[in-house]
């Protein structure tokens, strides 16, 4: 009753909204904003949340159930609404909007705003006038860059206050870093601030990805020292040039034709999105990292990419993007003044986008592995939800059974059934089937027999039926299996699909056209795992059965042994080698003294591999 009153009051407020572009905000019971949205027509858009057809999404239904009040802001155009929505999401961080997951603090390199600036590692960006470079994808990469900077430029690492007044008082003395050549002694006036600043400017260009200025500076110093016959000093500069060249060679060189640009790629899941950023300078990747975002209720990939780019831009030095950015789809370009966005179709730019997307997918895979370890239940639910979505199932398939036939040139036909519960093998429930009614190699008829026997028994025992049956094979196997389910009266209670081996085609009943899942999708990987497990289990049983058939055939060639004696020997010893090495007493107790003597004589005359010698 209270809920219906709440909805009625909200609808009264919606009726008063203007039919103009603008922003709407939904507030929770505590007065906090839980969702911000934009609209071309505020009245029509907001009213749609309170109609039955609009609330088909479970997430939308949950949000609507928590709306206690609403607010709105009218703007002149739809573009202005987009800009205002973006800024409000950043400042208010509403629960049901797209949000950046800041669970990881990336390392940066900072040039401190101080006399004789230090170049240091940090994880905190502060508004103190210092210059920040990064973020770096890992501490290892950041440390490599810092080591390079310090090996090329002699910079101080101490925390002394090197103001002109402090230096003039002469209260400092040089330390070990000066004596080993890592510092030029600015603390005692041996290096001027102007000279030091020149080195800092070269460091700045190096951290921005431009190695040319530093290389030219070092080469000029080397040549000058050599001309004045200061060969040891020239050798030091030469080593620094070599170190810089080695660092540059470790960068991923992508093209000699591409200069300075940014690359963004996007991978979207149901509950998370991953955006990779790469900065290209002089044809090489000089920076790369990936951010994770939580998509909002109705965010399109374009909205997610726009939000991700704007948040990444805030982390870059000066908050600036390059003049050109490569993207998989166009974002809201009005947010990024002076940037040209390109969606490449071929060539080096497309290869760059593919490289960035591969990094996004790898980052996503790492996150999913972490979830699997830390929260296995969430991992399982996500996989089952993916299966439900991809296979158009009414419920998550927590109980799956898969069938596979196995025979060799029509001999010893068998079938296997493997059972998966919560996307994991339930090996105690695996079953083997000897084919009883089919002669020769007939996979269709064998599948019909096995499906019938399996589910007739489950029905008779009033046991639980699976939510999904997977048949190893294409249209033919699936048709026979589905017809069997129809005869048993459970075709409407159990979903069934066929998975063909050739190119992993998925077949559904009543549809002759195969359905192709994304090769990288978890749903396909789970189906392939189940199918391969059924094949492995079936092959193991088939090999065992063929082995027993061979042993039985060998024993039947002994003249005095009948079927009962052969069965007794098989049950007791299982293998030919054990029968061959058994004592006469053991054999006599089982099949009698006369037959035991025949068995011993037979194997004495036969070679060790069990075959008779020709006479």
């Amino acid at each position: 009753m209270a809920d219906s009153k709440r909805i009625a009051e909200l609808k009264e407020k919606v009726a008063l909204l203007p039919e103009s572009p603008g922003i709407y905000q939904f507030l929770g019971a505590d007065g906090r904003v839980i969702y911000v949205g934009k609209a071309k027509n505020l009245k029509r858009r907001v009213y749609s949340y309170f109609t039955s057809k609009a609330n088909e999404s479970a997430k939308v239904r949950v949000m609507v159930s928590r709306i206690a009040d609403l607010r709105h802001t009218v703007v002149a155009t739809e573009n202005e609404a987009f800009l205002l929505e973006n800024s409000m999401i950043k400042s208010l961080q509403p629960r049901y909007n797209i949000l950046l997951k800041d669970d990881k603090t990336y390392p940066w390199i900072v040039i401190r705003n101080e006399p004789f600036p230090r170049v240091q590692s940090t994880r905190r960006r502060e508004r103190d006038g210092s210059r920040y470079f990064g973020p770096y994808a890992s501490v290892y990469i950041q440390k490599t860059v810092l080591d390079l900077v310090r090996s090329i430029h002699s910079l101080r690492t101490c925390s002394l206050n090197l103001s002109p007044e402090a230096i003039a008082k002469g209260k400092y003395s040089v330390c070990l870093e000066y004596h080993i050549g890592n510092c030029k002694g600015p603390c005692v006036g041996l290096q001027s601030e102007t000279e030091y600043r020149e080195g800092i400017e070269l460091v700045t260009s190096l951290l921005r990805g431009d190695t040319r200025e530093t290389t030219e500076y070092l080469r000029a110093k080397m040549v000058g020292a050599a001309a004045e016959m200061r060969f040891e000093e020239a050798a030091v500069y030469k080593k620094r040039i070599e170190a810089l060249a080695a660092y540059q060679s470790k960068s991923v060189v992508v093209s000699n034709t591409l200069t300075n640009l940014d690359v963004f790629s996007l991978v979207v899941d149901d509950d998370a999105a991953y955006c990779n950023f790469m900065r290209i300078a002089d044809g090489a990747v000089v920076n790369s990292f990936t951010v994770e975002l939580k998509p909002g209720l109705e965010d399109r990939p374009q909205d997610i990419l726009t939000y991700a780019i704007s948040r990444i831009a805030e982390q870059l030095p000066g908050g600036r993007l390059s003049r050109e950015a490569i993207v998989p789809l166009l974002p809201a370009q009005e947010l990024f003044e002076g940037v040209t966005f390109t969606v490449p179709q071929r060539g080096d730019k497309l290869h760059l986008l593919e490289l960035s997307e591969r990094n996004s997918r790898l980052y996503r895979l790492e996150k999913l592995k972490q979830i699997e370890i830390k929260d296995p239940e969430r991992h399982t639910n996500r996989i089952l939800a993916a299966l439900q979505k991809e296979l158009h199932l009414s419920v998550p398939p927590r109980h799956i059974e898969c069938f596979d036939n196995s025979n060799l040139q029509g001999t010893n036909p068998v079938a296997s059934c493997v059972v998966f519960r919560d996307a994991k093998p339930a090996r105690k429930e695996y079953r083997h089937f000897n084919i009883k009614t089919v002669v020769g190699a007939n996979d269709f008829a064998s599948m019909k027999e096995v499906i019938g026997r399996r589910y007739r028994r489950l029905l008779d025992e009033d046991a639980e039926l699976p939510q999904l049956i997977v048949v190893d094979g294409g249209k033919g196997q699936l048709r026979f299996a589905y017809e069997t389910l129809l005869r048993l009266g459970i075709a409407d209670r159990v979903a069934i699909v066929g998975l063909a081996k050739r190119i992993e085609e998925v077949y559904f009943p009543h549809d002759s056209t195969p359905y192709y899942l994304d090769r990288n999708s978890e749903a396909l990987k789970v189906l392939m795992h189940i199918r391969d497990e059924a094949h492995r289990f079936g092959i193991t049983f088939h090999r065992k059965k063929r082995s027993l058939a061979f042993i039985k055939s060998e024993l039947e060639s002994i003249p005095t042994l009948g079927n009962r004696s052969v069965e007794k020997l098989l049950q007791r010893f299982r293998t030919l080698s054990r029968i061959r090495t058994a004592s006469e007493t053991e054999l006599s107790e089982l099949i009698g003294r006369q037959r035991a003597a025949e068995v011993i004589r037979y194997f004495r005359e036969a070679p060790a591999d069990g075959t008779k010698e020709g006479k």
Side-chain angles (χ1 to χ4, degrees):
M1 191 70 179
D3 191 62
S4 60
K5 182 181 178 182
R6 177 183 62 86
I7 295 295
E9 290 175 353
L10 289 171
K11 284 184 176 180
E12 288 178 7
K13 292 186 178 183
V14 173
L16 300 176
L17 291 176
E19 296 185 3
S20 307
I23 292 296
Y24 57 92
Q25 300 176 9
F26 292 144
L27 284 71
D30 58 356
R32 297 182 64 181
V33 177
I34 61 173
Y35 186 71
V36 175
K38 63 182 181 300
K40 188 176 182 179
N41 184 314
L42 276 170
K43 184 175 184 178
R44 189 182 307 161
R45 181 70 188 96
V46 177
Y47 184 76
S48 69
Y49 285 98
F50 303 98
T51 62
S52 57
K53 289 184 178 179
N55 292 344
E56 293 177 357
S57 166
K59 289 182 180 179
V60 174
R61 286 198 301 270
V62 171
M63 183 195 70
V64 171
S65 70
R66 296 178 180 176
I67 299 174
D69 199 0
L70 61 89
R71 295 195 297 239
H72 73 279
T73 304
V74 176
V75 295
T77 65
E78 194 175 1
N79 281 343
E80 288 183 15
F82 190 98
L83 294 170
L84 183 56
E85 178 199 38
N86 188 66
S87 62
M88 281 187 174
I89 290 172
K90 288 180 185 177
S91 61
L92 298 174
Q93 298 280 294
R95 178 176 181 178
Y96 293 101
N97 281 101
I98 180 173
L99 299 173
L100 182 69
K101 290 192 174 181
D102 291 321
D103 61 342
K104 180 176 181 179
T105 306
Y106 289 96
W108 298 74
I109 292 177
V110 58
I111 299 179
R112 296 292 180 193
N113 180 25
E114 59 190 6
F116 298 95
R118 290 168 293 167
V119 181
Q120 297 177 310
S121 165
T122 184
R123 286 185 182 270
R124 295 180 59 185
R125 292 184 69 199
E126 300 175 352
R127 300 196 175 192
D128 56 359
S130 300
R131 285 181 284 182
Y132 292 84
F133 298 88
Y136 291 90
S138 69
V139 174
Y140 174 77
I141 296 173
Q142 179 219 43
K143 187 176 183 300
T144 301
V145 176
L146 266 178
D147 289 345
L148 172 74
V149 167
R150 289 167 179 165
S151 69
I152 293 175
H153 301 283
S154 300
L155 303 174
R156 75 180 181 110
T157 57
C158 64
S159 58
L160 299 176
N161 174 21
L162 298 189
S163 64
E165 297 78 15
I167 295 173
K169 288 179 181 178
K171 62 178 184 177
Y172 301 131
S173 60
V174 293
C175 62
L176 179 63
E177 292 294 316
Y178 170 80
H179 291 294
I180 63 177
N182 290 340
C183 179
K184 293 185 177 180
C187 57
V188 294
L190 296 178
Q191 184 181 26
S192 69
E193 189 168 359
T194 302
E195 181 189 351
Y196 193 95
R197 286 281 178 185
E198 288 177 0
I200 288 294
E201 290 308 312
L202 290 173
V203 170
T204 301
S205 65
L206 181 61
L207 292 177
R208 285 176 176 163
D210 185 2
T211 60
R212 289 174 298 181
E213 288 186 27
T214 302
T215 302
E216 290 170 4
Y217 166 80
L218 293 173
R219 187 169 285 113
K221 287 284 189 181
M222 180 184 69
V223 171
E228 296 175 8
M229 297 188 180
R230 291 180 280 113
F231 297 116
E232 288 185 5
E233 187 179 338
V236 171
Y237 286 120
K238 182 181 179 183
K239 285 183 179 179
R240 291 177 178 179
I241 292 172
E242 290 171 350
L244 186 60
Y247 166 74
Q248 192 174 17
S249 68
K250 289 179 182 178
S251 298
V252 181
V253 179
V254 292
S255 173
N256 293 325
T257 60
L258 299 178
T259 53
N260 301 320
L261 49 85
D262 295 332
V263 186
F264 297 91
S265 63
L266 186 68
V267 174
V268 181
D269 284 341
D270 289 338
D271 59 349
Y274 307 90
C275 181
N276 174 260
F277 163 77
M278 290 186 354
R279 172 149 285 180
I280 312 301
D282 298 323
V285 178
V286 296
N287 195 5
S288 176
F289 61 90
T290 303
V291 296
E292 181 182 1
L293 305 104
K294 180 183 77 67
L297 290 175
E298 302 168 287
D299 287 312
R300 303 169 300 165
Q302 179 193 26
D303 299 330
I304 298 172
L305 182 61
T306 300
Y307 187 82
I309 293 175
S310 65
R311 293 305 302 268
I312 288 171
E314 292 173 0
Q315 299 183 27
L316 299 175
R320 292 192 303 271
L321 298 173
S322 299
R323 291 186 178 180
E324 182 181 5
I326 297 172
V327 289
L329 51 95
L330 291 177
Q333 299 179 65
E334 58 269 22
L335 279 177
F336 310 102
E337 188 177 348
V339 180
T340 301
F341 289 95
T342 303
V343 181
Q345 303 299 319
R346 62 182 68 85
D348 290 339
K349 292 182 178 180
L350 179 60
H351 294 153
L352 264 180
L353 183 61
E354 290 170 347
L355 175 63
S356 176
E357 184 175 329
R358 190 156 64 247
N359 279 275
S360 293
R361 293 192 180 280
L362 287 172
Y363 185 88
R364 169 183 173 271
L365 187 61
E366 290 173 7
K367 284 289 183 179
L368 294 181
K369 286 180 179 177
Q370 290 176 13
I371 292 173
E372 184 177 1
I373 295 169
K374 296 179 181 178
D375 192 350
E377 184 178 352
R378 179 185 167 194
H379 173 72
T380 298
N381 291 337
R382 184 178 49 75
I383 289 176
L384 295 179
L387 277 169
Q388 180 183 0
K389 179 181 177 181
E390 293 286 355
L391 301 180
H392 315 294
L393 306 176
S394 58
V395 294
R398 293 197 170 274
H399 177 183
I400 305 174
E401 296 189 355
C402 180
F403 295 85
D404 178 53
N405 294 324
S406 179
N407 64 76
L408 180 64
Q409 296 177 346
T411 65
N412 303 307
V414 296
S416 62
C417 169
V418 298
V419 180
F420 273 53
R421 292 189 181 273
D422 290 334
K424 297 181 182 66
R427 291 188 171 86
K428 291 183 179 179
E429 299 183 54
Y430 285 13
R431 294 293 180 269
H432 284 134
F433 295 88
N434 288 306
I435 304 301
K436 298 178 179 178
T437 63
V438 181
V439 178
N442 188 332
D443 281 351
F444 299 158
S446 296
M447 187 63 70
K448 178 180 177 181
E449 177 190 325
V450 171
I451 294 286
R453 287 167 56 188
R454 170 66 173 172
Y455 296 110
R456 169 54 61 195
R457 179 168 182 172
L458 292 185
L459 290 171
D460 291 343
E461 296 175 353
D462 198 23
E464 175 193 75
L465 293 172
Q467 283 94 31
L468 175 65
I469 298 171
V470 180
V471 173
D472 180 22
K475 291 181 289 185
Q477 286 92 337
L478 178 63
R479 180 169 64 84
F480 276 79
Y482 181 69
E483 289 174 356
T484 306
L485 296 182
L486 282 173
R487 270 199 317 278
L488 294 172
I490 59 172
D492 58 341
R493 296 166 56 187
V494 182
I496 185 169
V497 297
L499 182 62
K501 287 190 180 74
R502 189 168 59 88
I503 49 176
E504 312 302 351
E505 302 165 318
V506 177
Y507 286 91
F508 294 92
H510 311 303
D511 189 352
S512 59
T513 304
Y515 178 61
Y516 298 96
L517 298 178
D518 183 348
R519 299 288 297 182
N520 296 313
S521 74
E522 287 191 306
L524 180 59
K525 290 176 181 176
V526 171
L527 288 178
M528 291 170 62
H529 181 199
I530 295 171
R531 189 269 317 279
D532 293 344
E533 180 70 357
H535 185 66
R536 179 200 65 78
F537 189 58
I539 286 293
T540 302
F541 180 51
H542 189 253
R543 287 173 179 164
K544 182 178 179 181
K545 188 176 179 184
R546 279 171 25 220
S547 177
L548 288 173
F550 171 78
I551 296 171
K552 186 175 181 180
S553 174
E554 181 78 5
L555 292 176
E556 286 174 346
S557 65
I558 300 175
T560 60
L561 290 187
N563 289 334
R564 287 192 62 186
S565 297
V566 169
E567 292 297 334
K568 287 180 180 180
L569 290 171
L570 286 175
Q571 288 175 7
R572 173 73 177 276
F573 298 105
R574 306 296 295 174
T575 67
L576 284 177
S577 61
R578 288 181 180 176
I579 296 172
R580 182 183 289 111
T581 57
S583 67
E584 187 172 356
T585 303
E586 290 177 306
L587 295 174
S588 298
E589 290 174 355
L590 199 64
I591 58 175
R593 185 179 299 174
Q594 185 178 353
R595 294 189 185 92
E598 282 291 328
V599 171
I600 291 172
R601 183 163 46 252
Y602 176 84
F603 284 113
R604 188 184 298 130
E605 295 174 357
D609 62 359
T611 59
K612 296 283 284 182
E613 292 181 0
K615 293 185 179 180

